[in-house]
Amino acid sequence: MLETRSLAARRGFATLFQGLGFALAAGEALVVSGPNGCGKTTLLRMLAGLSAPAEGEICWDGASVRPFDAKLREAVAFNGHLPALKDELTAFENLAAWTTLENERADAQAIDRALADVALARRARIPARALSQGQRRRIGLARLSLSRRRLWILDEPLTALDSDGVEVLETLLAAHLEGGGLVVAASHQALPVPTANLRPLDLATVPGGSHG
Amino acid sequence: MLETRSLAARRGFATLFQGLGFALAAGEALVVSGPNGCGKTTLLRMLAGLSAPAEGEICWDGASVRPFDAKLREAVAFNGHLPALKDELTAFENLAAWTTLENERADAQAIDRALADVALARRARIPARALSQGQRRRIGLARLSLSRRRLWILDEPLTALDSDGVEVLETLLAAHLEGGGLVVAASHQALPVPTANLRPLDLATVPGGSHG
Amino acid sequence: MIVNWYRYSSPISFYPLAGRLARVFGVLAVVFTLAGLYIGLIVAPTDATQGDAYRIIFLHVPTAWMAMFIYLVMAFWSALALGFNTRLSAMMAQALAPTGALMAALALWSGAFWGRPTWGTYWAWDARMTSTLILLFLYLGIIALRNAIDDPRRADRACALLALVGAVNVPIIYFSVQWWNTLHQGSSISLTAAPKMAMTMLEGLLVMTAGVWSYCIAVTLARVRAIIVERERGAGWVASLIAPQGAR
Amino acid sequence: MSPTAVPQPDAASVSAAFAWALGRDLRIALRSKAELGVQLMFYVIVVSLFPLASSPSREVLATLGPGVLWTAALLASLLSLPRLFAADFGDGTLEQIALSPRPLPALVSGKMAAHWLTTGLPVAVLAPLLGEQYAMDGTELWILAAALLLGTPILSLLGAIGATLTLGARGGGSLLALLVLPLYAPVLIFGAGAVDAVRSGLSAGPQLSLLAAGLLLALVGTPFAVAAAVRIALD
Amino acid sequence: MSPTAVPQPDAASVSAAFAWALGRDLRIALRSKAELGVQLMFYVIVVSLFPLASSPSREVLATLGPGVLWTAALLASLLSLPRLFAADFGDGTLEQIALSPRPLPALVSGKMAAHWLTTGLPVAVLAPLLGEQYAMDGTELWILAAALLLGTPILSLLGAIGATLTLGARGGGSLLALLVLPLYAPVLIFGAGAVDAVRSGLSAGPQLSLLAAGLLLALVGTPFAVAAAVRIALD
Ligand code: HEM
Ligand SMILES: Nc1ncnc2c1ncn2[C@@H]1O[C@H](COP(=O)(O)OP(=O)(O)OP(=O)(O)O)[C@@H](O)[C@H]1O
Ligand SMILES: Nc1ncnc2c1ncn2[C@@H]1O[C@H](COP(=O)(O)OP(=O)(O)OP(=O)(O)O)[C@@H](O)[C@H]1O
Ligand SMILES: [Mg+2]
Ligand SMILES: [Mg+2]
């Protein structure tokens, strides 16, 4: 499904990694780890189609894809460092806007249910500005639960989540992988993914890196 | 040193907590935990003197303090969710600006040493915009290492840190507590604080909360 | 043929070629400019109506032409850079911008000083002047945009896009002001009409144009070499290039 | 593309994408009414400044009118441009928009339309009222309004190019102005020229048609330029 | 306060705080030397726009001059002021500034001074040069420069109040900002009026004294108002 060949990333005059190749099949989760600044976020953004690799290529469904490839855009759900929340809008409005943007057909009830699943039912109608850090991240989880995208790209999905939140994420990930979805995630902690589906990738061991 | 009496926080029509009282002595670390949205950040901002409690009072060095109290401002180092980094400035410049603002007398060498301690020596001279998430948090650690403030208030200090980063934080906290400093931190994970100094506070068990 | 183009579209093989060409055009620039100045200032007779003021033409017209022409060339390289993502074409565009800005500034400056004795004013809002001014602003905008973006790859593409948008805009401005107000004189050199100028003046003009042209080429190539070294200093071949020179 | 390729954006998906972005931006804009107020206040202050400050004669005022009203419209547009994309860029919305399967040019067009509706349109509506101050008569005011209605969308469109190009660049406001103002020049010339033409007894037809042609050109071209600039900014 | 209380801000700590904020903001504003150029270009373009729009005669140009140069000053002020505090608010710097032991009014004054130095002062210096384009003579240019030197700091100061009030963007604050902005109008009227006075053979004394009085008032009052607004925004 998702495959890379001799991928390299450069920033400034530093090579973050090079010669990176892996293949990820349906139902598998690639969990990227490595020290701060080793290029996890950079890799995830390349895989999402947001930036072009310095070298190498990325293949999705067997076809080589360039940044913002239409087929990749149909398949990817990207949760990065930035929350993509509009402070002026409520949690409900934010979620509704996202699902419409993704072309999912989610009605108000489905959205309310998704918000209740992440324990935001009682905070669904106040401006997102007023929400706590973890509650903001939970809106991102609610979005994933509504999404039917096949490839989830998650950058440090555990940030600011309490133990309940981690459980919600665990359920989501399990269901997604079960259904043949793919996950690429970067994290400094262990991610709640069934070991059978886990494909760990330690970027620190990939050649080319000169960090710090 | 730091004491609160029947502290209460309200947001909108919700009471986050009330009747919160604790006393923290020199060399102790209060680690606040609790589910998302229970009011950890709200509490920390009150203790830092950024916002006024709905009820109750906060005492520092025996005197009741109001928001932005001059004596509290002399004593507090606050590391919140926001990094307070200027993207245009380099890590070095950001750190230099902070220490001057805090009235610390840090020379260029001390700053460079602090940056080296958090493994940012080689990234000290590029704009902070280009740094990775964890590298940005590490600048905050470097700042703490230069600070001679007595009360550190840290909101989720582990966010985005790799294991090396956590070690750096551990060393900093140990040294600070050793020297009679106080720490108030909110976190969803266990903080690397010597158990002898640890005063856990689970906000979920404080009355008044009605979360979710 | 195609092989050749590919060969020179990589900075590594272009670098030495650019060095040789820059030297040749540098010499040509000096020769042509000296000859042009000789014709313009000494050989050409004083004008009956304008006196010696008209001699500004030998600076004014070549620089005005180059200001416009360089923009076209820059837009061409920008289009290549955007379309094919080639590093060298973006570097060419980057190298052209300061020279283009200089030419536009010289045309404006010489024009303004010509306007004083002839029209009695330094400035009027006319088609050529306005579009030259806007051209200068576009050049400066492109330079400023590049300075404001940290990542050179991103700067390349952003500037290329701006150059292309500007390329659509300049002709529009030209015609918009022309329909609205005209003071500046029209083209006096054309292939269809009989020459209106004295022969020596035309000669001087053409020689000066060749001089300015050569100067632009030489300076641009020298600048592109500097850009290559700056941008690719991480690459091995540049390091080996700089080391022996530094040792000398 | 292979036969199983994603369908090319059809009219329905284009207009859905446009409506999505437009609705969202309008909703956000209307939540912060103060910003709209500041915009309009700026326009009124700038336009009223000349008659107030220099109390010129009627003829002078009449000469000044179109130029002042147009320049003020242009500056009002400029004033709000930095916020058009910067907020979305800063909070990650732009990433999501660019990664959406919906056609990016349509999405950014929706944003530009929202910008025009909240800055250009109010100015075009206000201008005839303010034009009274400048001793402009009925026909002139109509022509002015028509020219502004045709011209201000061009300002929003061209401005959006500058706004996206400066994303993530140092120096924000004035850099943006430097990039955009040269592009604004033709609009200003034709726009102010339209009223001048009627005033000198000519028809404003040519200027208005040129503005309309410019608007068409901008409508066709800018969405793609802006979409390209968004992708460059995210890289 | 107890005898062991923190010393009240003395002159040294006030000026150190002021210098810190000033230096930091100037450094950010002028990150690259090119940015100074961008600022200057911006005025030149804005000031050139009016003649472009209305191709006026020399007398009309002369009438326009003061108003145009003042509008450019206003625009420069408005374009960058919201960002000055909003950026600090958004990235957490404002929290740190407000929690610093240094006196907050002095810190915000430093920020406002940096704002004036990067927007108001360049206009005041450039204006006499650009005024040439507008057929203004020696005395007029001097008066213009003087009025701008007195008036542009007021714009920065008043603007800072508006900018901080809108920070939290809770309805009330923004409304107050709308009340502050109209205060710009008198500054512009007196400022542009000063030149008109000399032109019509009168003395510009009254206008300049009024501006100076306004400036004094603003200098004394705004730092405290802005500091209070910052604390409100952070709560
Ligand atoms: C700042 C003011 C001026 C600017 C920006 C300017 C700009 C230009 C430009 C862009 C051209 C090339 C146009 C073309 O070939 O189509 C040009 C050509 C020329 N300009 Fe100017 N000009 C200015 C003032 C003047 C003045 C004051 C005079 C003389 C009275 C003058 C005389 C000419 C002549 C004779 C040519 C050559 C036209 C030809 O043979 O094609 N210009 N100028
Ligand atoms: N212009 C530049 N010059 C040098 N290094 C740069 C430049 N721009 C970015 N970098 C480096 O590129 C790296 C980007 O790393 P990235 O954000 O992908 O790290 P990460 O693995 O996600 O780290 P974290 O765990 O902290 O999130 C950082 O080390 C950063 O310092
Ligand atoms: N206007 C409002 N109406 C109702 N609830 C509000 C309002 N403003 C804030 N809140 C609630 O106040 C709480 C603020 O919590 P705070 O940010 O202190 O949580 P936290 O414990 O730090 O959570 P996290 O672990 O997610 O960081 C949230 O539950 C938020 O939803
Ligand atoms: Mg990262
Ligand atoms: Mg929190």
PDB file of all heavy atoms in Angstrom, chain B residues 45 51 73 78 84 86 88 93 97 100 103 143 149, chain E residues 20 24 31 88 91 95-96 99-100 102 234-235:
ATOM      1  N   ARG B  45      -2.201  28.557  36.307  1.00  0.00           N
ATOM      2  CA  ARG B  45      -2.196  29.979  35.933  1.00  0.00           C
ATOM      3  C   ARG B  45      -2.569  30.855  37.130  1.00  0.00           C
ATOM      4  O   ARG B  45      -2.063  31.972  37.272  1.00  0.00           O
ATOM      5  CB  ARG B  45      -3.137  30.235  34.756  1.00  0.00           C
ATOM      6  CG  ARG B  45      -2.623  29.628  33.451  1.00  0.00           C
ATOM      7  CD  ARG B  45      -3.602  29.863  32.309  1.00  0.00           C
ATOM      8  NE  ARG B  45      -3.672  31.265  31.934  1.00  0.00           N
ATOM      9  CZ  ARG B  45      -2.877  31.851  31.057  1.00  0.00           C
ATOM     10  NH1 ARG B  45      -1.944  31.131  30.448  1.00  0.00           N
ATOM     11  NH2 ARG B  45      -3.008  33.118  30.768  1.00  0.00           N
ATOM     12  N   SER B  51      -4.103  34.666  36.674  1.00  0.00           N
ATOM     13  CA  SER B  51      -5.544  34.925  36.737  1.00  0.00           C
ATOM     14  C   SER B  51      -6.020  34.829  38.175  1.00  0.00           C
ATOM     15  O   SER B  51      -5.365  34.223  39.028  1.00  0.00           O
ATOM     16  CB  SER B  51      -6.305  33.968  35.813  1.00  0.00           C
ATOM     17  OG  SER B  51      -6.232  32.657  36.295  1.00  0.00           O
ATOM     18  N   ARG B  73       6.030  37.815  41.187  1.00  0.00           N
ATOM     19  CA  ARG B  73       6.702  37.958  39.882  1.00  0.00           C
ATOM     20  C   ARG B  73       8.210  37.840  40.021  1.00  0.00           C
ATOM     21  O   ARG B  73       8.895  37.449  39.065  1.00  0.00           O
ATOM     22  CB  ARG B  73       6.316  39.296  39.246  1.00  0.00           C
ATOM     23  CG  ARG B  73       5.069  39.183  38.379  1.00  0.00           C
ATOM     24  CD  ARG B  73       4.399  40.518  38.129  1.00  0.00           C
ATOM     25  NE  ARG B  73       5.347  41.579  37.866  1.00  0.00           N
ATOM     26  CZ  ARG B  73       5.111  42.865  38.105  1.00  0.00           C
ATOM     27  NH1 ARG B  73       3.961  43.241  38.626  1.00  0.00           N
ATOM     28  NH2 ARG B  73       6.014  43.768  37.838  1.00  0.00           N
ATOM     29  N   PHE B  78       7.382  30.546  34.846  1.00  0.00           N
ATOM     30  CA  PHE B  78       6.186  29.876  34.330  1.00  0.00           C
ATOM     31  C   PHE B  78       6.455  29.313  32.937  1.00  0.00           C
ATOM     32  O   PHE B  78       6.806  30.040  32.017  1.00  0.00           O
ATOM     33  CB  PHE B  78       5.021  30.876  34.287  1.00  0.00           C
ATOM     34  CG  PHE B  78       3.747  30.325  33.723  1.00  0.00           C
ATOM     35  CD1 PHE B  78       2.990  29.409  34.444  1.00  0.00           C
ATOM     36  CD2 PHE B  78       3.300  30.718  32.469  1.00  0.00           C
ATOM     37  CE1 PHE B  78       1.809  28.903  33.918  1.00  0.00           C
ATOM     38  CE2 PHE B  78       2.124  30.211  31.948  1.00  0.00           C
ATOM     39  CZ  PHE B  78       1.379  29.304  32.673  1.00  0.00           C
ATOM     40  N   ALA B  84       6.415  30.682  24.022  1.00  0.00           N
ATOM     41  CA  ALA B  84       6.988  32.027  24.157  1.00  0.00           C
ATOM     42  C   ALA B  84       8.276  32.184  23.362  1.00  0.00           C
ATOM     43  O   ALA B  84       9.186  32.895  23.771  1.00  0.00           O
ATOM     44  CB  ALA B  84       7.216  32.394  25.621  1.00  0.00           C
ATOM     45  N   LYS B  86      10.135  33.421  19.851  1.00  0.00           N
ATOM     46  CA  LYS B  86       9.972  34.220  18.651  1.00  0.00           C
ATOM     47  C   LYS B  86      10.585  33.448  17.492  1.00  0.00           C
ATOM     48  O   LYS B  86      11.786  33.191  17.463  1.00  0.00           O
ATOM     49  CB  LYS B  86      10.694  35.562  18.824  1.00  0.00           C
ATOM     50  CG  LYS B  86       9.951  36.531  19.682  1.00  0.00           C
ATOM     51  CD  LYS B  86       8.717  37.036  18.977  1.00  0.00           C
ATOM     52  CE  LYS B  86       7.663  37.454  19.973  1.00  0.00           C
ATOM     53  NZ  LYS B  86       6.325  37.471  19.403  1.00  0.00           N
ATOM     54  N   GLU B  88      11.322  34.330  14.660  1.00  0.00           N
ATOM     55  CA  GLU B  88      12.319  35.056  13.867  1.00  0.00           C
ATOM     56  C   GLU B  88      13.693  35.007  14.508  1.00  0.00           C
ATOM     57  O   GLU B  88      14.707  35.155  13.831  1.00  0.00           O
ATOM     58  CB  GLU B  88      11.920  36.531  13.716  1.00  0.00           C
ATOM     59  CG  GLU B  88      10.651  36.776  12.927  1.00  0.00           C
ATOM     60  CD  GLU B  88       9.417  36.694  13.805  1.00  0.00           C
ATOM     61  OE1 GLU B  88       9.545  36.308  14.982  1.00  0.00           O
ATOM     62  OE2 GLU B  88       8.327  37.003  13.305  1.00  0.00           O
ATOM     63  N   GLU B  93      19.212  33.782  20.747  1.00  0.00           N
ATOM     64  CA  GLU B  93      18.619  35.104  20.991  1.00  0.00           C
ATOM     65  C   GLU B  93      17.379  35.010  21.879  1.00  0.00           C
ATOM     66  O   GLU B  93      17.159  35.844  22.755  1.00  0.00           O
ATOM     67  CB  GLU B  93      18.266  35.767  19.664  1.00  0.00           C
ATOM     68  CG  GLU B  93      19.477  36.211  18.881  1.00  0.00           C
ATOM     69  CD  GLU B  93      19.123  36.595  17.446  1.00  0.00           C
ATOM     70  OE1 GLU B  93      18.160  36.006  16.884  1.00  0.00           O
ATOM     71  OE2 GLU B  93      19.796  37.449  16.887  1.00  0.00           O
ATOM     72  N   ALA B  97      17.109  36.818  25.477  1.00  0.00           N
ATOM     73  CA  ALA B  97      16.044  37.772  25.776  1.00  0.00           C
ATOM     74  C   ALA B  97      15.312  37.378  27.060  1.00  0.00           C
ATOM     75  O   ALA B  97      15.027  38.225  27.903  1.00  0.00           O
ATOM     76  CB  ALA B  97      15.064  37.850  24.608  1.00  0.00           C
ATOM     77  N   THR B 100      17.414  38.066  30.245  1.00  0.00           N
ATOM     78  CA  THR B 100      17.467  39.491  30.568  1.00  0.00           C
ATOM     79  C   THR B 100      16.138  39.944  31.154  1.00  0.00           C
ATOM     80  O   THR B 100      16.102  40.719  32.105  1.00  0.00           O
ATOM     81  CB  THR B 100      17.775  40.328  29.322  1.00  0.00           C
ATOM     82  OG1 THR B 100      18.482  39.530  28.403  1.00  0.00           O
ATOM     83  CG2 THR B 100      18.562  41.552  29.677  1.00  0.00           C
ATOM     84  N   ASN B 103      15.791  39.365  34.687  1.00  0.00           N
ATOM     85  CA  ASN B 103      16.776  40.023  35.529  1.00  0.00           C
ATOM     86  C   ASN B 103      17.921  39.123  35.937  1.00  0.00           C
ATOM     87  O   ASN B 103      18.624  39.396  36.903  1.00  0.00           O
ATOM     88  CB  ASN B 103      16.129  40.563  36.811  1.00  0.00           C
ATOM     89  CG  ASN B 103      15.727  41.997  36.643  1.00  0.00           C
ATOM     90  OD1 ASN B 103      16.294  42.681  35.805  1.00  0.00           O
ATOM     91  ND2 ASN B 103      14.767  42.439  37.421  1.00  0.00           N
ATOM     92  N   ARG B 143      16.172  27.461  29.576  1.00  0.00           N
ATOM     93  CA  ARG B 143      15.826  28.664  30.312  1.00  0.00           C
ATOM     94  C   ARG B 143      15.713  28.367  31.808  1.00  0.00           C
ATOM     95  O   ARG B 143      16.222  29.116  32.644  1.00  0.00           O
ATOM     96  CB  ARG B 143      14.487  29.180  29.797  1.00  0.00           C
ATOM     97  CG  ARG B 143      13.993  30.325  30.583  1.00  0.00           C
ATOM     98  CD  ARG B 143      12.564  30.615  30.229  1.00  0.00           C
ATOM     99  NE  ARG B 143      12.024  31.568  31.171  1.00  0.00           N
ATOM    100  CZ  ARG B 143      10.741  31.683  31.407  1.00  0.00           C
ATOM    101  NH1 ARG B 143       9.881  30.909  30.772  1.00  0.00           N
ATOM    102  NH2 ARG B 143      10.307  32.564  32.260  1.00  0.00           N
ATOM    103  N   ARG B 149      14.881  31.406  39.756  1.00  0.00           N
ATOM    104  CA  ARG B 149      13.582  31.583  40.382  1.00  0.00           C
ATOM    105  C   ARG B 149      13.326  30.478  41.386  1.00  0.00           C
ATOM    106  O   ARG B 149      13.777  29.343  41.199  1.00  0.00           O
ATOM    107  CB  ARG B 149      12.491  31.554  39.309  1.00  0.00           C
ATOM    108  CG  ARG B 149      12.631  32.657  38.299  1.00  0.00           C
ATOM    109  CD  ARG B 149      12.668  33.965  39.050  1.00  0.00           C
ATOM    110  NE  ARG B 149      12.894  35.087  38.139  1.00  0.00           N
ATOM    111  CZ  ARG B 149      11.885  35.747  37.593  1.00  0.00           C
ATOM    112  NH1 ARG B 149      10.648  35.385  37.808  1.00  0.00           N
ATOM    113  NH2 ARG B 149      12.135  36.767  36.814  1.00  0.00           N
TER     114      ARG B 149
ATOM    115  N   TRP E  20      14.801  46.923  27.152  1.00  0.00           N
ATOM    116  CA  TRP E  20      14.703  45.511  26.791  1.00  0.00           C
ATOM    117  C   TRP E  20      13.632  45.303  25.723  1.00  0.00           C
ATOM    118  O   TRP E  20      13.878  44.712  24.666  1.00  0.00           O
ATOM    119  CB  TRP E  20      14.367  44.672  28.031  1.00  0.00           C
ATOM    120  CG  TRP E  20      14.238  43.227  27.724  1.00  0.00           C
ATOM    121  CD1 TRP E  20      15.252  42.309  27.688  1.00  0.00           C
ATOM    122  CD2 TRP E  20      13.050  42.515  27.371  1.00  0.00           C
ATOM    123  NE1 TRP E  20      14.757  41.077  27.341  1.00  0.00           N
ATOM    124  CE2 TRP E  20      13.410  41.175  27.142  1.00  0.00           C
ATOM    125  CE3 TRP E  20      11.707  42.886  27.226  1.00  0.00           C
ATOM    126  CZ2 TRP E  20      12.490  40.197  26.784  1.00  0.00           C
ATOM    127  CZ3 TRP E  20      10.790  41.915  26.868  1.00  0.00           C
ATOM    128  CH2 TRP E  20      11.178  40.588  26.644  1.00  0.00           C
ATOM    129  N   ARG E  24      14.309  44.313  21.788  1.00  0.00           N
ATOM    130  CA  ARG E  24      13.838  43.039  21.290  1.00  0.00           C
ATOM    131  C   ARG E  24      12.906  43.232  20.091  1.00  0.00           C
ATOM    132  O   ARG E  24      13.037  42.566  19.061  1.00  0.00           O
ATOM    133  CB  ARG E  24      13.102  42.342  22.411  1.00  0.00           C
ATOM    134  CG  ARG E  24      12.656  40.974  22.066  1.00  0.00           C
ATOM    135  CD  ARG E  24      12.317  40.223  23.331  1.00  0.00           C
ATOM    136  NE  ARG E  24      11.382  39.174  23.051  1.00  0.00           N
ATOM    137  CZ  ARG E  24      10.150  39.390  22.674  1.00  0.00           C
ATOM    138  NH1 ARG E  24       9.722  40.605  22.539  1.00  0.00           N
ATOM    139  NH2 ARG E  24       9.365  38.379  22.415  1.00  0.00           N
ATOM    140  N   ARG E  31      14.844  42.140  11.452  1.00  0.00           N
ATOM    141  CA  ARG E  31      15.603  40.891  11.389  1.00  0.00           C
ATOM    142  C   ARG E  31      16.607  40.927  10.247  1.00  0.00           C
ATOM    143  O   ARG E  31      17.733  40.531  10.370  1.00  0.00           O
ATOM    144  CB  ARG E  31      14.627  39.724  11.231  1.00  0.00           C
ATOM    145  CG  ARG E  31      15.203  38.341  11.279  1.00  0.00           C
ATOM    146  CD  ARG E  31      15.732  37.976  12.631  1.00  0.00           C
ATOM    147  NE  ARG E  31      17.035  38.539  12.901  1.00  0.00           N
ATOM    148  CZ  ARG E  31      17.805  38.169  13.913  1.00  0.00           C
ATOM    149  NH1 ARG E  31      17.381  37.275  14.745  1.00  0.00           N
ATOM    150  NH2 ARG E  31      18.959  38.709  14.104  1.00  0.00           N
ATOM    151  N   ASP E  88       2.722  38.397  20.142  1.00  0.00           N
ATOM    152  CA  ASP E  88       3.197  38.117  21.494  1.00  0.00           C
ATOM    153  C   ASP E  88       2.151  37.374  22.311  1.00  0.00           C
ATOM    154  O   ASP E  88       2.478  36.535  23.148  1.00  0.00           O
ATOM    155  CB  ASP E  88       3.553  39.421  22.207  1.00  0.00           C
ATOM    156  CG  ASP E  88       4.939  39.904  21.843  1.00  0.00           C
ATOM    157  OD1 ASP E  88       5.596  39.189  21.071  1.00  0.00           O
ATOM    158  OD2 ASP E  88       5.352  40.966  22.311  1.00  0.00           O
ATOM    159  N   ASP E  91       1.939  33.578  20.991  1.00  0.00           N
ATOM    160  CA  ASP E  91       3.026  32.630  21.245  1.00  0.00           C
ATOM    161  C   ASP E  91       3.435  32.590  22.715  1.00  0.00           C
ATOM    162  O   ASP E  91       4.398  31.903  23.068  1.00  0.00           O
ATOM    163  CB  ASP E  91       4.230  32.925  20.352  1.00  0.00           C
ATOM    164  CG  ASP E  91       4.898  34.243  20.685  1.00  0.00           C
ATOM    165  OD1 ASP E  91       4.633  34.784  21.752  1.00  0.00           O
ATOM    166  OD2 ASP E  91       5.695  34.729  19.868  1.00  0.00           O
ATOM    167  N   GLU E  95       2.488  36.606  28.202  1.00  0.00           N
ATOM    168  CA  GLU E  95       2.440  36.032  29.559  1.00  0.00           C
ATOM    169  C   GLU E  95       3.754  36.272  30.271  1.00  0.00           C
ATOM    170  O   GLU E  95       3.790  36.717  31.415  1.00  0.00           O
ATOM    171  CB  GLU E  95       2.246  34.511  29.481  1.00  0.00           C
ATOM    172  CG  GLU E  95       0.854  34.034  29.170  1.00  0.00           C
ATOM    173  CD  GLU E  95       0.820  32.519  28.940  1.00  0.00           C
ATOM    174  OE1 GLU E  95       1.845  31.837  29.159  1.00  0.00           O
ATOM    175  OE2 GLU E  95      -0.230  32.039  28.535  1.00  0.00           O
ATOM    176  N   GLN E  96       4.837  35.935  29.591  1.00  0.00           N
ATOM    177  CA  GLN E  96       6.148  36.049  30.216  1.00  0.00           C
ATOM    178  C   GLN E  96       6.473  37.497  30.533  1.00  0.00           C
ATOM    179  O   GLN E  96       7.055  37.795  31.574  1.00  0.00           O
ATOM    180  CB  GLN E  96       7.224  35.453  29.302  1.00  0.00           C
ATOM    181  CG  GLN E  96       6.999  33.988  28.962  1.00  0.00           C
ATOM    182  CD  GLN E  96       7.130  33.080  30.179  1.00  0.00           C
ATOM    183  OE1 GLN E  96       7.703  33.455  31.182  1.00  0.00           O
ATOM    184  NE2 GLN E  96       6.557  31.884  30.080  1.00  0.00           N
ATOM    185  N   LEU E  99       4.559  38.532  33.543  1.00  0.00           N
ATOM    186  CA  LEU E  99       5.016  37.883  34.774  1.00  0.00           C
ATOM    187  C   LEU E  99       6.418  38.334  35.174  1.00  0.00           C
ATOM    188  O   LEU E  99       6.908  37.957  36.235  1.00  0.00           O
ATOM    189  CB  LEU E  99       5.020  36.360  34.595  1.00  0.00           C
ATOM    190  CG  LEU E  99       3.652  35.690  34.638  1.00  0.00           C
ATOM    191  CD1 LEU E  99       3.799  34.196  34.502  1.00  0.00           C
ATOM    192  CD2 LEU E  99       2.943  36.031  35.936  1.00  0.00           C
ATOM    193  N   SER E 100       7.048  39.087  34.307  1.00  0.00           N
ATOM    194  CA  SER E 100       8.403  39.525  34.630  1.00  0.00           C
ATOM    195  C   SER E 100       8.368  40.498  35.800  1.00  0.00           C
ATOM    196  O   SER E 100       7.403  41.241  35.975  1.00  0.00           O
ATOM    197  CB  SER E 100       9.003  40.195  33.394  1.00  0.00           C
ATOM    198  OG  SER E 100       9.807  41.272  33.778  1.00  0.00           O
ATOM    199  N   ARG E 102       9.912  43.080  36.030  1.00  0.00           N
ATOM    200  CA  ARG E 102      10.078  44.449  35.551  1.00  0.00           C
ATOM    201  C   ARG E 102       8.731  45.135  35.390  1.00  0.00           C
ATOM    202  O   ARG E 102       7.733  44.484  35.122  1.00  0.00           O
ATOM    203  CB  ARG E 102      10.807  44.411  34.207  1.00  0.00           C
ATOM    204  CG  ARG E 102      12.090  43.641  34.354  1.00  0.00           C
ATOM    205  CD  ARG E 102      12.945  43.776  33.171  1.00  0.00           C
ATOM    206  NE  ARG E 102      14.296  43.389  33.542  1.00  0.00           N
ATOM    207  CZ  ARG E 102      15.358  43.756  32.874  1.00  0.00           C
ATOM    208  NH1 ARG E 102      15.242  44.509  31.814  1.00  0.00           N
ATOM    209  NH2 ARG E 102      16.543  43.382  33.279  1.00  0.00           N
ATOM    210  N   LEU E 234      -4.894  38.555  29.626  1.00  0.00           N
ATOM    211  CA  LEU E 234      -4.284  37.291  30.043  1.00  0.00           C
ATOM    212  C   LEU E 234      -5.149  36.531  31.031  1.00  0.00           C
ATOM    213  O   LEU E 234      -5.003  35.320  31.181  1.00  0.00           O
ATOM    214  CB  LEU E 234      -2.914  37.563  30.681  1.00  0.00           C
ATOM    215  CG  LEU E 234      -1.845  38.004  29.694  1.00  0.00           C
ATOM    216  CD1 LEU E 234      -0.586  38.397  30.418  1.00  0.00           C
ATOM    217  CD2 LEU E 234      -1.559  36.881  28.703  1.00  0.00           C
ATOM    218  N   ASP E 235      -6.023  37.233  31.721  1.00  0.00           N
ATOM    219  CA  ASP E 235      -6.796  36.571  32.777  1.00  0.00           C
ATOM    220  C   ASP E 235      -7.599  35.404  32.216  1.00  0.00           C
ATOM    221  O   ASP E 235      -8.275  35.528  31.226  1.00  0.00           O
ATOM    222  CB  ASP E 235      -7.733  37.601  33.423  1.00  0.00           C
ATOM    223  CG  ASP E 235      -8.350  37.030  34.689  1.00  0.00           C
ATOM    224  OD1 ASP E 235      -8.109  35.850  34.998  1.00  0.00           O
ATOM    225  OD2 ASP E 235      -9.056  37.794  35.369  1.00  0.00           O
TER     226      ASP E 235
END
